[in-house]
Every structure is written in structure tokens, then in C-alpha cells.
Amino acid sequence: MKKVALIPARYGATRFPGKLMAKLGGKSVILRTYESTVNTGVFDEVMVVCDSEIIYNEIVNNGGKAVMSKKEHECGTDRIAEAIEDRTDVDIVVNVQGDEPFTQKEPLEKLLKVFEGEEGKQVQVASLMQVLKDPQSIEDPNYVKVAVDKKFNALFFSRSVIPYPRDKNVQSIYYEHIGIYAFRRQTLMDFTKMPVSPLEAAEKIECLRYLENGISMKMVVTEYMGVEIDTPEDLLKAEKLL
């Protein structure tokens, strides 16, 4: 299978405008994300898909591969779908978030592995999750939680607490969804043709669109990927990890 990593990169950001070009240890966040994704060695190709010449030049001038989006897009999934539309040579597409400068090999290997073998032929889309233990984070709507079945297929995603601990004597496991997705190419293209679904609109969680359209989503447990750069405070946390 030909495996490609695409990094959607939007210059504007509500909470932290221009965050992808913010410096992290002397390099921009987007360049660090690109380089760490390449360095995993698990992809046949890595490319940044951007809406800004600033980001495009940052990647290309540092020896990387980038392409400009032709249109405005509602989400990163639509942006990478445009970039892959004519690439019939590609089998698996992984959407790596542009603000994840500490992208690691192990989680991505585990994510890609679910597409292999006889059982893997049934998998259309997969994503990552981690165990969430901090009670404050479990309650925090900024942490998207996911409930899964016994085969680790997603049952539901929510910003609310799921499962709700009505019985305090039951030890529930809480999973946080990590927004890195792997798609079969045709599944990705089909996704962009589906209208925004009611649950997706309510929760503002785009992967609910798959579940509402009857498409199973395989979840893979991993350790935390690093620090996602959403705010200037996150950038300070990230500096300490270098």
C-alpha cells in the first residue's frame, strides 16, 4: 500500500493567529511538524497542504514538499481531499495536524497497521486515542472523549463526559480522541461529499459525520503525542520538551 501523510496548514487561527509560523526552538511549528513526520520513516510521501504563501515558502525553502489549496475549506479534511483528488496511486492517507510538532513514529505505525491483513481490509478510517485520567480534563469540553466497543470501533464522540459515571462503584475508562486520522483514499473523497450531519453540527466534531453515515471508525490506543499548539501557553510548554 502507498501511504501518504498530508498536513493541512491554515495560517489563520482563532485562538492563536499565525501559530504555525511561531518559533519553537528556532524553527517554526509547521516546519517542526513536517520534519518530525518525515523522520518517522513510515510514509512514502509527506506534504503540507496550505492556504498561505508564507507557510508554502517556509516548507519549500527548507527542502520540504508543499502545495497550495485552491479553495477555502471548512476543515482540514476537505483541504487534504482536494490535494489528493487526482492521486489515484495513493492507498492510505494520514491527516497529521499542523500544530503537532512532536509527531512520533510508534503511534503512526500502530495506526497504519490496522489496515493490514484480512481484517484490515474492512477498515475504512482509523484514528488515535489515549487514556484520560485527570478528572478536570475529563470534564473539560475542549477534550473530545470517545466511547468504543469491544473491538475498539468508535461508538460515539462527545465533548461531554462519556460514559457518565452514574454508578460511582464502576471503574470506567475515559479515552481522549487525538485528531490524527488515517483514511482509505476513496473514503476520504466520499467524506467531503457528505453534508454536515446533525450530531457533528451540535458537537463540532467532524468525525461524527462518519458514524452518522454508518461508517465504522477503528480507534487505536496510544501514548500522548506531545503538545498540540493551540495557545501561546502551549508554545511555552512545548519549549520545555525540546
Side-chain angles (χ1 to χ4, degrees):
M1 295 186 295
K2 183 166 184 175
K3 302 175 286 289
V4 172
L6 297 183
I7 305 171
R10 186 170 64 91
Y11 186 74
T14 305
R15 284 189 284 178
F16 189 179
K19 68 178 182 179
L20 297 184
M21 289 299 296
K23 292 298 182 183
L24 177 58
K27 290 184 179 181
S28 65
V29 170
I30 187 61
L31 183 59
R32 283 197 177 276
T33 301
Y34 176 82
E35 290 179 343
S36 64
T37 305
V38 170
N39 290 339
T40 64
V42 300
F43 298 106
D44 298 296
E45 184 180 349
V46 179
M47 183 167 60
V48 173
V49 186
C50 53
D51 66 349
S52 161
E53 288 187 8
I54 295 172
I55 293 177
Y56 178 88
N57 291 334
E58 172 74 356
I59 299 300
V60 172
N61 291 344
N62 283 284
K65 189 169 184 178
V67 63
M68 289 283 290
S69 294
K70 299 172 186 174
K71 312 166 188 171
E72 288 295 320
H73 294 291
E74 289 293 323
C75 63
T77 307
D78 290 334
R79 193 175 302 282
I80 66 169
E82 180 194 305
I84 211 74
E85 188 172 8
D86 298 323
R87 294 290 304 275
T88 55
D89 60 314
V90 173
D91 298 297
I92 305 295
V93 182
V94 176
N95 179 349
V96 177
Q97 303 300 315
D99 55 7
E100 288 275 5
F102 300 105
T103 299
Q104 299 166 13
K105 179 178 181 177
E106 177 266 342
L108 294 172
E109 274 188 323
K110 289 176 73 175
L111 187 61
L112 291 167
K113 194 170 182 63
V114 302
F115 292 91
E116 298 175 1
E118 282 303 310
E119 190 175 334
K121 289 179 182 178
Q122 306 303 316
V123 177
Q124 298 300 310
V125 58
S127 193
L128 295 172
M129 64 182 183
Q130 66 169 340
V131 175
L132 201 56
K133 295 180 179 178
D134 174 41
Q136 189 173 347
S137 299
I138 292 169
E139 296 277 353
D140 190 338
N142 290 314
Y143 287 77
V144 174
K145 276 70 71 175
V146 54
V148 296
D149 66 15
K150 292 181 179 180
K151 293 184 177 180
F152 287 91
N153 293 306
L155 293 170
F156 194 65
F157 296 85
S158 182
R159 297 183 184 277
S160 299
V161 178
I162 53 170
Y164 181 79
R166 183 176 179 182
D167 187 339
K168 304 298 182 185
N169 296 315
V170 175
Q171 288 290 98
S172 297
I173 299 176
Y174 294 92
Y175 292 110
E176 177 197 0
H177 180 222
I178 299 172
I180 293 181
Y181 303 87
F183 314 84
R184 292 197 184 275
R185 179 187 170 278
Q186 191 55 53
T187 304
L188 170 60
M189 301 313 301
D190 291 344
F191 177 85
T192 63
K193 297 180 178 69
M194 300 173 187
V196 173
S197 56
L199 292 174
E200 176 191 5
E203 291 264 12
K204 294 294 181 284
I205 301 172
E206 69 178 61
C207 50
L208 283 168
R209 196 183 310 179
Y210 283 110
L211 302 190
E212 288 193 81
N213 282 279
I215 299 170
S216 294
M217 199 166 171
K218 180 70 74 174
M219 301 304 298
V220 177
V221 182
T222 185
E223 299 295 324
Y224 183 53
M225 301 281 287
V227 176
E228 184 177 319
I229 312 298
D230 276 332
T231 66
E233 291 74 27
D234 292 334
L235 195 63
L236 295 176
K237 292 180 188 175
E239 287 280 358
K240 295 176 183 177
L241 296 177
L242 292 175

